[in-house]
Structure formats: C-alpha cells, structure tokens
Amino acid sequence: MHALVRSGVPFEILSDATSNSSGAAGSAITRPLPVSFFAAGSGIYAQGEKVGGHYQIEFGAVRVYRLLSDGRRQITAFHLAGESFGFEADYTHHFFAEAIVATGLRTFRPTAGVDMSRELLPLALRGMVRAQEHLLVVGRQNAVERIAAFLIDMTDRQGELTQIELPMSRQDIGDYLGLTIETVSRVLSRLRDKGILKFHSLRTLEISKPETLRSICE
C-alpha cells in the first residue's frame, strides 16, 4: 500500500466496539481511538516512554526491538495484521516499536478505574509463549533450523497459507534470529535451490514443500 500520509495522522475509521458496558460487575471498558497511519520506518513508541495503552494492527506490520550497548539492534518480536502489542508489566515501555511497512494501528486506552486484567491476560500470555518459543529457536537451533522455524511461524500466523508475505527485510530477520544478513540470504537461497521455497518477489514466497520445511525445525 502506498499513501502519502503523515505518520500518526488518524483516519476517520471508528471501531464498532464503543465504550459500552454490558452491565456486569467488573466488566472492562476500553476507548478505541481512530486508526492512525504510520509510514514505513516511523516510530510508534520508544524505550522509556510512558505507556498510553495497547495497539491492534489493522494492516501492515510492526517490529519491536532494543538497541544494545554496542549499537547493535536486537529485534524481539514481529507483529502482523490482527495482532496486538504494547503491553507492559508497569507504566513504561522497555522496547522500541516501529512500523515495518505502511501500517494502520488502533490504540486501546483503558477507562480510568476499570480493571482490564481479565481481558488483557490471554493476550499477555500469548505474547509470553511466543517469546519463549523465540528463545528456544535462537538458543538451540542452527541457522537453517532457525530460518525454517521462522518461516513456519510466519505461515501459521498468516492462516497456514503456502504463499506468504514477509514484510520484514532480510536484515530484520537476521536481527530477530541472531544471524547475519549474509547467512539469512544464503540459507534462503539454499532452501530455494532444494525446491522447498519458491520466490515470487523479494517479499513474497511460496512454501512448495511445507512438510519438509517443518521437519527441518522439529
């Protein structure tokens, strides 16, 4: 999607989920804001900023990362359309979040005095499981296994399609998996040469042998 819109400018798109209570005691209410547009590469929030709510991706993709003391970037998560992010255990963001491509976000801010723990707990637990799986991939698998596991994860999160979009760059993938961009490119080329992958464009690929790919990372 190409649009000349300033970062952070909201579209006049409102959610059907308004600030209505079901009347049940303790039911949580959030205030969904209009969808905001973020251009590719623009910041959503920075490490140390005050938490103002959590976000749901309407379209596009987001990377969450931290800058290491030597200037290197460690990406800890990618978030795709339909997913939520921005939860923190306290009132301060501990990572940076950026739009990878043109991205539309809806911000949900809790109403003062309302307990949101019941609604946020499943989302937080899902994020924790994904973070644990990421640690296993980075800590125990070789480069080919890491790339295979990453592609399977992208497939599962895009509806188990055999043709998927990779909004992130190969540098992003390397910073996420703890690999160099050269290693990422070499492994993808090897999987292509073996007939496991087929590239339709730089960011669009088809998994020709999904079972073979899954067996690599199991």
Side-chain angles (χ1 to χ4, degrees):
M1 177 179 180
H2 301 281
L4 296 176
V5 185
R6 284 190 300 115
S7 171
V9 177
F11 287 113
E12 293 301 321
I13 305 175
L14 296 174
S15 170
D16 291 334
T18 55
S19 301
N20 293 326
S21 171
S22 63
S27 59
I29 306 171
T30 59
R31 295 175 294 162
L33 299 180
V35 172
S36 296
F37 178 86
F38 291 83
S42 60
I44 299 165
Y45 56 76
Q47 182 179 340
E49 285 187 0
K50 183 178 179 181
V51 175
H54 67 277
Y55 306 86
Q56 180 174 305
I57 302 176
E58 298 293 313
F59 60 86
V62 170
R63 57 182 165 241
V64 176
Y65 68 93
R66 177 173 286 182
L67 294 175
L68 305 181
S69 58
D70 59 3
R72 288 180 298 132
R73 181 184 66 168
Q74 176 62 61
I75 294 179
T76 60
F78 294 117
H79 299 286
L80 309 178
E83 298 178 353
S84 298
F85 70 99
F87 309 102
E88 299 287 356
D90 51 26
Y91 300 103
T92 303
H93 285 297
H94 298 274
F95 297 87
F96 295 87
E98 284 181 351
I100 301 174
V101 294
T103 298
L105 299 180
R106 193 181 303 280
T107 305
F108 289 84
R109 293 179 178 169
T111 300
V114 175
D115 182 11
M116 288 291 296
S117 57
R118 181 177 299 179
E119 282 72 18
L120 295 181
L121 181 60
L123 298 174
L125 290 176
R126 194 175 304 130
M128 183 181 69
V129 170
R130 185 164 289 158
Q132 291 171 335
E133 291 174 344
H134 179 222
L135 287 174
L136 290 175
V137 170
V138 172
R140 298 185 182 182
Q141 297 178 317
N142 62 38
V144 177
E145 292 169 337
R146 293 183 199 184
I147 296 292
F150 170 75
L151 294 175
I152 290 298
D153 180 50
M154 290 294 105
T155 298
D156 292 344
R157 290 162 68 181
Q158 295 185 42
E160 298 185 356
L161 300 174
T162 56
Q163 182 169 310
I164 60 174
E165 298 290 331
L166 295 181
M168 63 288 297
S169 67
R170 295 186 181 187
Q171 182 66 65
D172 285 340
I173 296 172
D175 289 348
Y176 179 65
L177 297 176
L179 303 171
T180 65
I181 185 173
E182 292 82 9
T183 300
V184 173
S185 298
R186 184 169 60 250
V187 171
L188 290 175
S189 296
R190 186 186 308 173
L191 294 174
R192 179 200 60 201
D193 294 342
K194 290 184 176 181
I196 298 173
L197 303 179
K198 181 186 297 183
F199 285 89
H200 295 282
S201 69
L202 185 62
R203 302 291 178 87
T204 303
L205 62 85
E206 179 180 344
I207 300 177
S208 304
K209 299 178 181 179
E211 294 307 317
T212 302
L213 190 66
R214 288 184 185 274
S215 68
I216 292 174
C217 55
E218 289 179 351

